[in-house]
Amino acid sequence: GAGVSQSPRYKVTKRGQDVALRCDPISGHVSLYWYRQALGQGPEFLTYFNYEAQQDKSGLPNDRFSAERPEGSISTLTIQRTEQRDSAMYRCASSTNPGGSEAFFGQGTRLTVV
Amino acid sequence: AQSVTQLDSQVPVFEEAPVELRCNYSSSVSVYLFWYVQYPNQGLQLLLKYLSGSTLVKGINGFEAEFNKSQTSFHLRKPSVHISDTAEYFCAVSGSGYSTLTFGKGTMLLVSP
């Protein structure tokens, strides 16, 4: 596609439910990143992939968070047993290659856990 | 480890006035530096970046930034702002040749007539 596409744009879920957030990167982009942005803060790194391989997951806050990119294109960030503190904007970005100097961001998914 | 400090959470300015948004970073390795802009209900858009070479970097929409290694700063400037520049601005750093970004908390630029 023309840009990075994230879905859904908004998600409201009840505490304890699982959610899956989807990211469709720019076609042909090798690297894909997930960030989380709390209100009033800058984005914080969660994890990233080169092709289908997860290169770094050091930013995932705990084992309720996981991500995959099975075919090296679309990625899913899954949060199990959601908690209110998981409420945030989740942003996906992609770049042409590893170490690429420009990351293109999607519009984000606003997650609200009630 | 790297960190970015944006001391000003909000900067109010009148239209056609100059503006400077401050950014300081800390890093133990060589860095790439970036400024991103976030308009309401939109994704982050790259304004400009410093990778190497000239320390004065020009970006889109008339913005520029200067890399100062001795002061570990990368301040963003525009000589004359427009109402449409109202947005949140994020400074970010990555290790050179490394992909992931560390962002500051952002500065909200509020331009009024």
Side-chain angles (χ1 to χ4, degrees):
Chain A
V4 178
S5 178
Q6 291 187 246
S7 60
R9 290 285 312 279
Y10 302 92
K11 177 70 177 178
V12 180
T13 190
K14 291 185 178 180
R15 190 175 51 188
Q17 296 293 306
D18 298 350
V19 294
L21 312 181
R22 174 188 162 116
C23 173
D24 193 350
I26 294 172
S27 178
H29 277 197
V30 168
S31 301
L32 183 148
Y33 315 84
W34 283 99
Y35 291 83
R36 178 170 71 171
Q37 185 176 4
L39 208 57
Q41 303 293 318
E44 292 182 337
F45 169 74
L46 294 176
T47 184
Y48 93 97
F49 296 82
N50 287 335
Y51 301 100
E52 72 283 356
Q54 191 170 22
Q55 300 292 319
D56 183 349
K57 55 181 183 179
S58 63
L60 295 177
N62 53 59
D63 61 8
R64 295 187 296 107
F65 287 73
S66 63
E68 63 175 8
R69 193 186 185 197
E71 297 179 1
S73 179
I74 292 170
S75 176
T76 303
L77 177 70
T78 301
I79 310 172
Q80 296 179 312
R81 305 180 304 281
T82 53
E83 301 177 4
Q84 285 188 324
R85 59 178 172 157
D86 300 333
S87 297
M89 176 73 81
Y90 289 82
R91 296 194 181 276
C92 176
S94 67
S95 65
T96 52
N97 49 38
S101 60
E102 180 170 357
F104 295 84
F105 282 81
Q107 290 184 293
T109 294
R110 169 72 67 186
L111 175 66
T112 303
V113 183
V114 297
Chain B
Q2 296 151 343
S3 66
V4 176
T5 301
Q6 292 181 251
L7 285 173
D8 305 307
S9 59
Q10 280 193 14
V11 173
V13 64
F14 289 110
E15 193 174 20
E16 298 183 6
V19 70
E20 178 180 83
L21 305 184
R22 296 181 293 168
C23 172
N24 289 89
Y25 70 92
S26 68
S27 176
S28 57
V29 299
S30 297
V31 296
Y32 294 158
L33 291 156
F34 306 82
W35 276 98
Y36 280 84
V37 60
Q38 181 179 319
Y39 298 104
N41 297 317
Q42 295 189 24
L44 292 165
Q45 179 183 1
L46 182 68
L47 267 181
L48 49 77
K49 60 187 176 185
Y50 170 80
L51 305 182
S52 65
S54 173
T55 57
L56 183 63
V57 179
K58 294 189 183 297
I60 62 171
N61 300 340
F63 284 93
E64 64 181 32
E66 186 158 17
F67 170 56
N68 187 319
K69 188 174 182 179
S70 62
Q71 297 187 5
T72 59
S73 68
F74 190 56
H75 301 331
L76 181 70
R77 302 185 183 98
K78 186 170 182 178
S80 175
V81 295
H82 302 290
I83 297 285
S84 59
D85 292 323
T86 294
E88 191 154 24
Y89 293 79
F90 292 93
C91 182
V93 63
S94 71
S96 60
Y98 189 60
S99 309
T100 62
L101 296 165
T102 299
F103 286 86
K105 291 186 176 183
T107 298
M108 186 68 202
L109 177 63
L110 300 165
V111 183
S112 54

Short mmCIF file of all heavy atoms in Angstrom, two decimals, chain B residues 5-60:
data_model
loop_
_atom_site.label_atom_id
_atom_site.label_comp_id
_atom_site.label_asym_id
_atom_site.label_seq_id
_atom_site.Cartn_x
_atom_site.Cartn_y
_atom_site.Cartn_z
N THR B 5 15.86 14.58 25.81
CA THR B 5 15.16 15.51 26.68
C THR B 5 14.60 16.66 25.87
O THR B 5 15.35 17.36 25.18
CB THR B 5 16.10 16.07 27.77
OG1 THR B 5 16.62 14.98 28.53
CG2 THR B 5 15.35 17.00 28.70
N GLN B 6 13.31 16.83 25.96
CA GLN B 6 12.66 18.01 25.39
C GLN B 6 12.09 18.78 26.59
O GLN B 6 11.09 18.38 27.18
CB GLN B 6 11.55 17.62 24.42
CG GLN B 6 12.09 16.96 23.15
CD GLN B 6 10.97 16.59 22.19
OE1 GLN B 6 10.67 15.42 22.00
NE2 GLN B 6 10.38 17.59 21.56
N LEU B 7 12.76 19.84 26.95
CA LEU B 7 12.43 20.52 28.20
C LEU B 7 11.09 21.24 28.15
O LEU B 7 10.43 21.39 29.16
CB LEU B 7 13.53 21.51 28.55
CG LEU B 7 14.81 20.89 29.09
CD1 LEU B 7 15.89 21.94 29.25
CD2 LEU B 7 14.56 20.17 30.42
N ASP B 8 10.70 21.70 26.97
CA ASP B 8 9.47 22.48 26.85
C ASP B 8 8.31 21.57 26.45
O ASP B 8 8.33 20.99 25.37
CB ASP B 8 9.64 23.59 25.80
CG ASP B 8 10.83 24.46 26.10
OD1 ASP B 8 10.88 24.98 27.24
OD2 ASP B 8 11.69 24.64 25.23
N SER B 9 7.31 21.47 27.30
CA SER B 9 6.16 20.66 26.93
C SER B 9 5.22 21.42 25.99
O SER B 9 4.55 20.82 25.15
CB SER B 9 5.39 20.21 28.17
OG SER B 9 4.96 21.33 28.90
N GLN B 10 5.19 22.75 26.15
CA GLN B 10 4.38 23.59 25.26
C GLN B 10 5.15 24.84 24.91
O GLN B 10 5.84 25.41 25.75
CB GLN B 10 3.07 24.00 25.94
CG GLN B 10 1.98 22.96 25.93
CD GLN B 10 0.64 23.54 26.34
OE1 GLN B 10 0.46 24.75 26.39
NE2 GLN B 10 -0.31 22.67 26.60
N VAL B 11 5.03 25.27 23.65
CA VAL B 11 5.62 26.53 23.22
C VAL B 11 4.55 27.33 22.49
O VAL B 11 4.17 26.98 21.37
CB VAL B 11 6.83 26.30 22.30
CG1 VAL B 11 7.33 27.63 21.72
CG2 VAL B 11 7.95 25.60 23.06
N PRO B 12 4.04 28.39 23.12
CA PRO B 12 3.08 29.25 22.43
C PRO B 12 3.81 30.33 21.66
O PRO B 12 4.79 30.89 22.16
CB PRO B 12 2.27 29.84 23.59
CG PRO B 12 3.21 29.83 24.74
CD PRO B 12 4.22 28.74 24.52
N VAL B 13 3.34 30.63 20.47
CA VAL B 13 3.99 31.64 19.63
C VAL B 13 2.94 32.26 18.71
O VAL B 13 1.96 31.61 18.35
CB VAL B 13 5.15 30.99 18.83
CG1 VAL B 13 4.61 29.95 17.86
CG2 VAL B 13 5.99 32.02 18.14
N PHE B 14 3.20 33.50 18.34
CA PHE B 14 2.29 34.17 17.40
C PHE B 14 2.69 33.85 15.96
O PHE B 14 3.87 33.62 15.66
CB PHE B 14 2.28 35.68 17.63
CG PHE B 14 1.59 36.09 18.90
CD1 PHE B 14 2.32 36.59 19.97
CD2 PHE B 14 0.22 35.95 19.03
CE1 PHE B 14 1.68 36.95 21.14
CE2 PHE B 14 -0.43 36.31 20.20
CZ PHE B 14 0.31 36.82 21.26
N GLU B 15 1.72 33.86 15.11
CA GLU B 15 1.96 33.63 13.68
C GLU B 15 3.00 34.61 13.15
O GLU B 15 3.04 35.78 13.55
CB GLU B 15 0.65 33.79 12.92
CG GLU B 15 0.68 33.27 11.50
CD GLU B 15 -0.68 33.32 10.83
OE1 GLU B 15 -1.55 34.09 11.30
OE2 GLU B 15 -0.88 32.59 9.84
N GLU B 16 3.88 34.12 12.29
CA GLU B 16 4.97 34.84 11.64
C GLU B 16 6.15 35.13 12.56
O GLU B 16 7.15 35.69 12.12
CB GLU B 16 4.48 36.14 10.99
CG GLU B 16 3.44 35.91 9.88
CD GLU B 16 3.02 37.19 9.21
OE1 GLU B 16 3.59 38.25 9.50
OE2 GLU B 16 2.09 37.13 8.37
N ALA B 17 6.09 34.73 13.80
CA ALA B 17 7.23 34.86 14.70
C ALA B 17 8.17 33.68 14.51
O ALA B 17 7.75 32.62 14.04
CB ALA B 17 6.75 34.92 16.14
N PRO B 18 9.44 33.85 14.89
CA PRO B 18 10.38 32.71 14.85
C PRO B 18 10.14 31.79 16.04
O PRO B 18 9.60 32.19 17.07
CB PRO B 18 11.75 33.38 14.92
CG PRO B 18 11.49 34.63 15.70
CD PRO B 18 10.10 35.08 15.32
N VAL B 19 10.59 30.54 15.90
CA VAL B 19 10.43 29.59 16.99
C VAL B 19 11.65 28.67 17.04
O VAL B 19 12.27 28.37 16.02
CB VAL B 19 9.14 28.76 16.84
CG1 VAL B 19 9.24 27.77 15.67
CG2 VAL B 19 8.82 28.02 18.13
N GLU B 20 11.99 28.25 18.26
CA GLU B 20 13.02 27.23 18.47
C GLU B 20 12.48 26.22 19.46
O GLU B 20 12.02 26.58 20.55
CB GLU B 20 14.31 27.84 19.01
CG GLU B 20 15.38 26.79 19.28
CD GLU B 20 16.67 27.37 19.82
OE1 GLU B 20 16.74 27.59 21.05
OE2 GLU B 20 17.60 27.60 19.03
N LEU B 21 12.51 24.96 19.08
CA LEU B 21 12.13 23.87 19.97
C LEU B 21 13.40 23.14 20.35
O LEU B 21 14.16 22.69 19.50
CB LEU B 21 11.15 22.92 19.27
CG LEU B 21 9.88 23.55 18.67
CD1 LEU B 21 8.98 22.47 18.09
CD2 LEU B 21 9.15 24.38 19.68
N ARG B 22 13.61 22.99 21.65
CA ARG B 22 14.88 22.48 22.13
C ARG B 22 14.87 20.96 22.30
O ARG B 22 13.87 20.37 22.72
CB ARG B 22 15.23 23.14 23.47
CG ARG B 22 15.47 24.64 23.36
CD ARG B 22 15.83 25.23 24.70
NE ARG B 22 14.72 25.16 25.64
CZ ARG B 22 14.84 25.40 26.93
NH1 ARG B 22 16.02 25.71 27.45
NH2 ARG B 22 13.79 25.35 27.73
N CYS B 23 16.03 20.38 22.00
CA CYS B 23 16.21 18.94 22.15
C CYS B 23 17.65 18.68 22.58
O CYS B 23 18.59 19.15 21.92
CB CYS B 23 15.93 18.22 20.84
SG CYS B 23 16.35 16.45 20.85
N ASN B 24 17.82 17.95 23.65
CA ASN B 24 19.13 17.49 24.08
C ASN B 24 19.11 15.97 24.19
O ASN B 24 18.08 15.39 24.52
CB ASN B 24 19.53 18.11 25.41
CG ASN B 24 19.84 19.58 25.28
OD1 ASN B 24 18.96 20.43 25.39
ND2 ASN B 24 21.10 19.88 25.01
N TYR B 25 20.23 15.35 23.92
CA TYR B 25 20.27 13.89 23.94
C TYR B 25 21.49 13.44 24.71
O TYR B 25 22.44 14.20 24.95
CB TYR B 25 20.30 13.34 22.51
CG TYR B 25 21.61 13.61 21.81
CD1 TYR B 25 22.65 12.69 21.84
CD2 TYR B 25 21.82 14.81 21.14
CE1 TYR B 25 23.86 12.95 21.23
CE2 TYR B 25 23.02 15.07 20.52
CZ TYR B 25 24.03 14.15 20.57
OH TYR B 25 25.24 14.42 19.97
N SER B 26 21.48 12.20 25.10
CA SER B 26 22.66 11.57 25.68
C SER B 26 22.83 10.21 25.03
O SER B 26 21.85 9.49 24.78
CB SER B 26 22.55 11.43 27.20
OG SER B 26 21.55 10.51 27.53
N SER B 27 24.06 9.90 24.72
CA SER B 27 24.36 8.62 24.08
C SER B 27 25.85 8.34 24.22
O SER B 27 26.67 9.25 24.18
CB SER B 27 23.99 8.66 22.60
OG SER B 27 24.35 7.45 21.96
N SER B 28 26.17 7.07 24.34
CA SER B 28 27.57 6.67 24.43
C SER B 28 28.15 6.29 23.07
O SER B 28 29.32 5.98 22.96
CB SER B 28 27.72 5.50 25.39
OG SER B 28 26.91 4.42 24.96
N VAL B 29 27.31 6.34 22.04
CA VAL B 29 27.75 5.96 20.70
C VAL B 29 27.37 7.06 19.72
O VAL B 29 26.61 7.97 20.06
CB VAL B 29 27.13 4.62 20.26
CG1 VAL B 29 27.55 3.50 21.20
CG2 VAL B 29 25.61 4.72 20.21
N SER B 30 27.89 6.95 18.51
CA SER B 30 27.50 7.90 17.48
C SER B 30 26.01 7.77 17.20
O SER B 30 25.44 6.67 17.27
CB SER B 30 28.28 7.63 16.19
OG SER B 30 29.65 7.82 16.41
N VAL B 31 25.39 8.88 16.88
CA VAL B 31 23.93 8.87 16.77
C VAL B 31 23.45 9.42 15.43
O VAL B 31 24.15 10.16 14.74
CB VAL B 31 23.28 9.70 17.90
CG1 VAL B 31 23.56 9.08 19.26
CG2 VAL B 31 23.74 11.15 17.85
N TYR B 32 22.24 9.01 15.12
CA TYR B 32 21.43 9.69 14.14
C TYR B 32 20.36 10.46 14.92
O TYR B 32 19.88 9.98 15.96
CB TYR B 32 20.72 8.70 13.21
CG TYR B 32 21.60 7.89 12.30
CD1 TYR B 32 21.14 6.69 11.76
CD2 TYR B 32 22.86 8.32 11.92
CE1 TYR B 32 21.90 5.94 10.89
CE2 TYR B 32 23.65 7.57 11.06
CZ TYR B 32 23.16 6.38 10.54
OH TYR B 32 23.92 5.63 9.68
N LEU B 33 19.97 11.62 14.42
CA LEU B 33 18.99 12.45 15.12
C LEU B 33 17.84 12.81 14.19
O LEU B 33 18.06 13.03 12.98
CB LEU B 33 19.66 13.73 15.64
CG LEU B 33 20.66 13.49 16.77
CD1 LEU B 33 21.67 14.60 16.84
CD2 LEU B 33 19.92 13.35 18.10
N PHE B 34 16.66 12.89 14.74
CA PHE B 34 15.45 13.08 13.94
C PHE B 34 14.50 14.05 14.65
O PHE B 34 14.47 14.12 15.88
CB PHE B 34 14.70 11.75 13.77
CG PHE B 34 15.53 10.63 13.20
CD1 PHE B 34 16.35 9.89 14.02
CD2 PHE B 34 15.46 10.32 11.86
CE1 PHE B 34 17.12 8.85 13.51
CE2 PHE B 34 16.21 9.28 11.33
CZ PHE B 34 17.05 8.55 12.16
N TRP B 35 13.72 14.74 13.86
CA TRP B 35 12.54 15.44 14.35
C TRP B 35 11.33 14.91 13.58
O TRP B 35 11.34 14.86 12.34
CB TRP B 35 12.65 16.95 14.14
CG TRP B 35 13.40 17.66 15.22
CD1 TRP B 35 14.71 18.05 15.20
CD2 TRP B 35 12.88 18.10 16.48
NE1 TRP B 35 15.03 18.69 16.37
CE2 TRP B 35 13.93 18.73 17.17
CE3 TRP B 35 11.62 18.02 17.09
CZ2 TRP B 35 13.76 19.29 18.45
CZ3 TRP B 35 11.46 18.57 18.35
CH2 TRP B 35 12.52 19.18 19.01
N TYR B 36 10.32 14.53 14.36
CA TYR B 36 9.04 14.10 13.79
C TYR B 36 7.95 15.09 14.21
O TYR B 36 8.01 15.67 15.30
CB TYR B 36 8.66 12.70 14.30
CG TYR B 36 9.36 11.56 13.60
CD1 TYR B 36 10.63 11.15 14.00
CD2 TYR B 36 8.76 10.89 12.54
CE1 TYR B 36 11.28 10.10 13.36
CE2 TYR B 36 9.39 9.83 11.90
CZ TYR B 36 10.64 9.45 12.32
OH TYR B 36 11.27 8.41 11.68
N VAL B 37 6.91 15.21 13.38
CA VAL B 37 5.77 16.04 13.70
C VAL B 37 4.52 15.18 13.70
O VAL B 37 4.39 14.26 12.88
CB VAL B 37 5.63 17.23 12.71
CG1 VAL B 37 5.44 16.76 11.29
CG2 VAL B 37 4.49 18.15 13.14
N GLN B 38 3.64 15.48 14.64
CA GLN B 38 2.38 14.74 14.73
C GLN B 38 1.24 15.73 14.69
O GLN B 38 1.02 16.48 15.65
CB GLN B 38 2.34 13.93 16.02
CG GLN B 38 1.09 13.10 16.21
CD GLN B 38 1.13 12.31 17.49
OE1 GLN B 38 2.16 11.76 17.87
NE2 GLN B 38 0.02 12.26 18.18
N TYR B 39 0.51 15.74 13.57
CA TYR B 39 -0.69 16.56 13.48
C TYR B 39 -1.85 15.78 14.10
O TYR B 39 -1.81 14.56 14.19
CB TYR B 39 -0.99 16.92 12.02
CG TYR B 39 0.11 17.73 11.38
CD1 TYR B 39 1.01 17.15 10.48
CD2 TYR B 39 0.27 19.08 11.69
CE1 TYR B 39 2.01 17.90 9.90
CE2 TYR B 39 1.29 19.83 11.12
CZ TYR B 39 2.15 19.22 10.24
OH TYR B 39 3.17 19.95 9.67
N PRO B 40 -2.90 16.45 14.54
CA PRO B 40 -4.03 15.77 15.18
C PRO B 40 -4.57 14.64 14.31
O PRO B 40 -4.77 14.80 13.11
CB PRO B 40 -5.05 16.89 15.36
CG PRO B 40 -4.23 18.14 15.44
CD PRO B 40 -3.07 17.92 14.52
N ASN B 41 -4.75 13.49 14.95
CA ASN B 41 -5.36 12.32 14.30
C ASN B 41 -4.54 11.81 13.11
O ASN B 41 -5.09 11.16 12.22
CB ASN B 41 -6.79 12.62 13.84
CG ASN B 41 -7.69 12.94 15.01
OD1 ASN B 41 -7.63 12.28 16.04
ND2 ASN B 41 -8.50 13.97 14.86
N GLN B 42 -3.26 12.10 13.12
CA GLN B 42 -2.40 11.58 12.07
C GLN B 42 -1.20 10.86 12.66
O GLN B 42 -0.94 10.95 13.86
CB GLN B 42 -1.93 12.72 11.16
CG GLN B 42 -3.05 13.39 10.38
CD GLN B 42 -2.55 14.34 9.35
OE1 GLN B 42 -1.41 14.22 8.88
NE2 GLN B 42 -3.37 15.30 8.97
N GLY B 43 -0.50 10.14 11.82
CA GLY B 43 0.70 9.45 12.26
C GLY B 43 1.87 10.41 12.36
O GLY B 43 1.79 11.58 12.00
N LEU B 44 2.97 9.93 12.85
CA LEU B 44 4.20 10.71 12.93
C LEU B 44 4.80 10.87 11.54
O LEU B 44 4.92 9.91 10.79
CB LEU B 44 5.21 10.01 13.84
CG LEU B 44 4.84 9.94 15.31
CD1 LEU B 44 5.71 8.91 16.02
CD2 LEU B 44 5.02 11.30 15.96
N GLN B 45 5.20 12.10 11.24
CA GLN B 45 5.79 12.40 9.93
C GLN B 45 7.19 12.95 10.13
O GLN B 45 7.41 13.83 10.96
CB GLN B 45 4.92 13.42 9.20
CG GLN B 45 5.44 13.83 7.83
CD GLN B 45 4.58 14.90 7.18
OE1 GLN B 45 3.59 15.37 7.76
NE2 GLN B 45 4.94 15.30 5.98
N LEU B 46 8.14 12.44 9.37
CA LEU B 46 9.51 12.90 9.51
C LEU B 46 9.65 14.31 8.97
O LEU B 46 9.30 14.60 7.83
CB LEU B 46 10.46 11.96 8.77
CG LEU B 46 11.93 12.29 8.88
CD1 LEU B 46 12.43 12.07 10.31
CD2 LEU B 46 12.75 11.43 7.91
N LEU B 47 10.20 15.21 9.81
CA LEU B 47 10.48 16.59 9.39
C LEU B 47 11.88 16.70 8.79
O LEU B 47 12.08 17.31 7.75
CB LEU B 47 10.43 17.52 10.60
CG LEU B 47 9.15 18.24 10.95
CD1 LEU B 47 9.39 19.12 12.17
CD2 LEU B 47 8.65 19.09 9.80
N LEU B 48 12.85 16.13 9.51
CA LEU B 48 14.24 16.19 9.06
C LEU B 48 15.07 15.20 9.87
O LEU B 48 14.61 14.68 10.88
CB LEU B 48 14.80 17.61 9.20
CG LEU B 48 14.62 18.35 10.51
CD1 LEU B 48 15.57 17.89 11.60
CD2 LEU B 48 14.80 19.86 10.31
N LYS B 49 16.28 14.97 9.38
CA LYS B 49 17.16 14.01 10.05
C LYS B 49 18.60 14.42 9.87
O LYS B 49 18.98 15.02 8.86
CB LYS B 49 16.94 12.60 9.49
CG LYS B 49 17.23 12.48 8.00
CD LYS B 49 16.84 11.11 7.48
CE LYS B 49 17.05 11.03 5.95
NZ LYS B 49 16.57 9.75 5.38
N TYR B 50 19.41 14.10 10.85
CA TYR B 50 20.86 14.25 10.76
C TYR B 50 21.48 12.87 10.83
O TYR B 50 21.28 12.13 11.80
CB TYR B 50 21.42 15.12 11.90
CG TYR B 50 22.92 15.08 11.94
CD1 TYR B 50 23.67 15.86 11.06
CD2 TYR B 50 23.59 14.23 12.80
CE1 TYR B 50 25.05 15.80 11.06
CE2 TYR B 50 24.97 14.17 12.81
CZ TYR B 50 25.69 14.95 11.93
OH TYR B 50 27.06 14.87 11.93
N LEU B 51 22.24 12.53 9.80
CA LEU B 51 22.96 11.26 9.77
C LEU B 51 24.46 11.49 9.87
O LEU B 51 25.16 10.81 10.62
CB LEU B 51 22.61 10.49 8.50
CG LEU B 51 21.12 10.24 8.24
CD1 LEU B 51 20.91 9.44 6.96
CD2 LEU B 51 20.46 9.55 9.41
N SER B 52 24.95 12.42 9.07
CA SER B 52 26.37 12.76 9.06
C SER B 52 26.52 14.01 8.20
O SER B 52 25.55 14.50 7.61
CB SER B 52 27.21 11.62 8.51
OG SER B 52 26.89 11.40 7.14
N GLY B 53 27.76 14.53 8.14
CA GLY B 53 28.02 15.65 7.25
C GLY B 53 27.66 16.98 7.87
O GLY B 53 27.89 17.21 9.07
N SER B 54 27.09 17.86 7.08
CA SER B 54 26.78 19.21 7.53
C SER B 54 25.91 19.18 8.77
O SER B 54 24.92 18.45 8.85
CB SER B 54 26.07 20.00 6.43
OG SER B 54 25.63 21.25 6.93
N THR B 55 26.28 20.01 9.75
CA THR B 55 25.54 20.00 11.01
C THR B 55 24.22 20.76 10.92
O THR B 55 23.38 20.64 11.79
CB THR B 55 26.39 20.60 12.13
OG1 THR B 55 26.78 21.93 11.76
CG2 THR B 55 27.61 19.74 12.39
N LEU B 56 24.05 21.54 9.86
CA LEU B 56 22.78 22.26 9.66
C LEU B 56 21.95 21.45 8.67
O LEU B 56 22.35 21.24 7.53
CB LEU B 56 23.04 23.66 9.13
CG LEU B 56 21.78 24.53 8.94
CD1 LEU B 56 21.09 24.76 10.28
CD2 LEU B 56 22.14 25.85 8.29
N VAL B 57 20.79 21.04 9.13
CA VAL B 57 19.95 20.18 8.33
C VAL B 57 18.65 20.91 8.01
O VAL B 57 18.02 21.47 8.91
CB VAL B 57 19.62 18.87 9.10
CG1 VAL B 57 18.72 17.98 8.27
CG2 VAL B 57 20.88 18.15 9.49
N LYS B 58 18.27 20.87 6.76
CA LYS B 58 17.01 21.51 6.36
C LYS B 58 15.96 20.43 6.10
O LYS B 58 16.27 19.37 5.54
CB LYS B 58 17.22 22.37 5.12
CG LYS B 58 18.12 23.57 5.39
CD LYS B 58 18.15 24.53 4.23
CE LYS B 58 19.11 25.68 4.50
NZ LYS B 58 18.69 26.48 5.66
N GLY B 59 14.74 20.71 6.53
CA GLY B 59 13.67 19.74 6.36
C GLY B 59 12.50 20.31 5.61
O GLY B 59 12.60 21.33 4.94
N ILE B 60 11.37 19.65 5.78
CA ILE B 60 10.17 20.09 5.08
C ILE B 60 9.52 21.25 5.82
O ILE B 60 9.82 21.51 6.99
CB ILE B 60 9.16 18.93 4.94
CG1 ILE B 60 8.71 18.42 6.30
CG2 ILE B 60 9.75 17.81 4.10
CD1 ILE B 60 7.57 17.43 6.24
#
